[in-house]
């Protein structure tokens, strides 16, 4: 009984801790009745707040491109290391988890000289943040994909496919990848959530994204800024909820 009371007490305190700021954001953003209708009217929003519209489009493009680049680099590498180079697995894991231990401000100091060359070679587009974001999401994406690979007997599947004459590209694309679909989706959702909430790297490298646009908007229209921030938070929460439900459904299918 005492354990149940303690559990509900902790859940209540945590719920209040997380919900109160959201309730305050809702209350503040609804003080102006035109705020939320404005967010639903994209032509009007783009006309009245062009910087915000640019930031939204930039973040969506960055999230999509980062997800694609991360999957293209990480999925074949993780599969190949497990199948052909198992001794390097710990090294690859260490390298992928390393960005988790480096603060974003320190990461920017190292990336600044690199981006000076990026600006010189391909310009200062906000889409160049994709390279930095791919490094930033490696720890989360690698852990999701590695967990998915650990849940299947990948060596047996690969050997069976190779025995039937399949090449390595076919093994990865048509044999292994369908079996780790939920892990790939998990990595993609985590990437999107992280990119949509990233501010430090974009701000210090003088690039545009959603969070930078929100920060600038807060100086002129606080209610719209808070409403957009709340929308971004709810979108990230929805992505993580979908991720959790997909993981639960996958686990239930495996048990069945």
């Amino acid at each position: 009984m005492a354990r149940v009371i303690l559990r509900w007490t902790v859940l209540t305190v945590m719920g209040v801790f997380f919900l109160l700021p959201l309730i305050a954001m809702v209350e503040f953003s609804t003080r102006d009745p035109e705020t939320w209708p404005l967010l639903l009217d994209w032509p009007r929003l783009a006309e009245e707040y062009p910087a915000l519209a640019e930031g939204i489009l930039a973040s969506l493009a960055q999230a999509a491109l980062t997800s694609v680049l991360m999957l293209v680099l990480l999925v074949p590498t993780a599969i190949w290391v497990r199948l052909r180079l198992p001794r390097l697995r710990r090294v690859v894991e260490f390298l992928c988890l390393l960005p988790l231990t480096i603060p974003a401000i320190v990461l920017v100091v190292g990336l600044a000289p690199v981006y000076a060359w990026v600006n010189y070679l391909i310009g200062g587009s906000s889409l160049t943040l994709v390279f930095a974001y791919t490094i930033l999401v490696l720890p989360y994406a690698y852990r999701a994909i590695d967990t998915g690979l650990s849940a299947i007997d990948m060596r047996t599947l690969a050997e069976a496919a190779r025995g039937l004459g399949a090449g390595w590209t076919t093994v990865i694309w048509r044999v292994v990848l369908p079996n780790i679909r939920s892990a790939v989706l998990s990595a993609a959702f985590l990437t999107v959530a992280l990119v949509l909430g990233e501010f430090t790297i974009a701000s210090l490298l003088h690039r545009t994204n959603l969070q930078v646009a929100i920060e600038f908007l807060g100086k002129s229209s606080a209610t719209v800024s808070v409403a957009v921030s709340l929308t971004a938070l709810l979108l990230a929460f929805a992505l993580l909820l979908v991720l959790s439900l997909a993981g639960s459904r996958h686990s239930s299918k495996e048990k069945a």
Side-chain angles (χ1 to χ4, degrees), residues 81-86 152-160:
V81 167
R82 277 182 168 266
L83 288 177
R84 307 293 294 177
L85 302 169
I152 64 174
D153 189 356
M154 186 172 59
R155 186 172 298 276
T156 300
L157 291 173
E159 290 178 354

Side-chain angles (χ1 to χ4, degrees), residues 124-209:
S125 170
S126 62
L127 294 181
T128 57
L129 284 175
V130 167
F131 305 120
Y133 287 163
T134 301
I135 297 173
L136 196 64
V137 304
L138 278 179
Y140 312 97
Y142 175 82
R143 181 55 63 195
I145 292 172
D146 186 66
T147 301
L149 292 174
S150 299
I152 64 174
D153 189 356
M154 186 172 59
R155 186 172 298 276
T156 300
L157 291 173
E159 290 178 354
R162 291 286 292 170
L164 293 172
W168 283 113
T169 302
T170 303
V171 170
I172 293 174
W173 183 254
R174 301 186 64 181
V175 178
V176 178
L177 196 58
N179 286 282
I180 60 168
R181 187 181 295 111
S182 62
V184 170
L185 290 176
S186 298
F189 285 158
L190 289 172
T191 298
V192 171
L194 190 145
V195 171
L196 291 180
E198 203 287 320
F199 170 77
T200 305
I201 294 178
S203 177
L204 294 178
L205 291 179
H206 306 290
R207 299 299 198 278
T208 298
N209 72 354

Side-chain angles (χ1 to χ4, degrees), residues 19-166:
L19 288 177
L20 273 181
L22 298 179
I23 294 173
M25 294 175 73
V26 172
E27 190 277 330
F28 182 79
S29 62
T30 53
R31 291 181 182 180
D32 184 356
E34 293 295 323
T35 299
W36 286 100
L38 175 64
L39 295 184
L40 300 176
D41 189 350
W42 176 257
R44 182 184 167 196
L45 180 68
E47 180 181 356
E48 295 188 14
Y49 300 101
L52 176 61
E54 180 185 357
I56 292 173
L57 294 176
S59 279
L60 292 176
Q62 290 162 6
L65 292 176
T66 302
S67 298
V68 171
L69 181 59
M70 175 273 299
L71 293 175
V72 168
L73 292 176
L74 200 55
V75 173
T77 301
I79 294 174
W80 189 255
V81 167
R82 277 182 168 266
L83 288 177
R84 307 293 294 177
L85 302 169
R87 293 183 179 180
L88 294 181
R89 183 185 170 192
R90 294 300 179 188
V91 176
V92 173
E93 182 177 6
F94 172 78
L95 293 175
C96 289
L97 297 180
L98 194 59
L100 193 62
T101 65
I102 303 174
I105 186 70
V106 177
L107 194 61
V108 171
V109 173
L111 289 173
V114 177
Y115 269 86
W117 282 100
V118 171
N119 291 342
Y120 177 75
L121 294 174
I122 60 177
S125 170
S126 62
L127 294 181
T128 57
L129 284 175
V130 167
F131 305 120
Y133 287 163
T134 301
I135 297 173
L136 196 64
V137 304
L138 278 179
Y140 312 97
Y142 175 82
R143 181 55 63 195
I145 292 172
D146 186 66
T147 301
L149 292 174
S150 299
I152 64 174
D153 189 356
M154 186 172 59
R155 186 172 298 276
T156 300
L157 291 173
E159 290 178 354
R162 291 286 292 170
L164 293 172

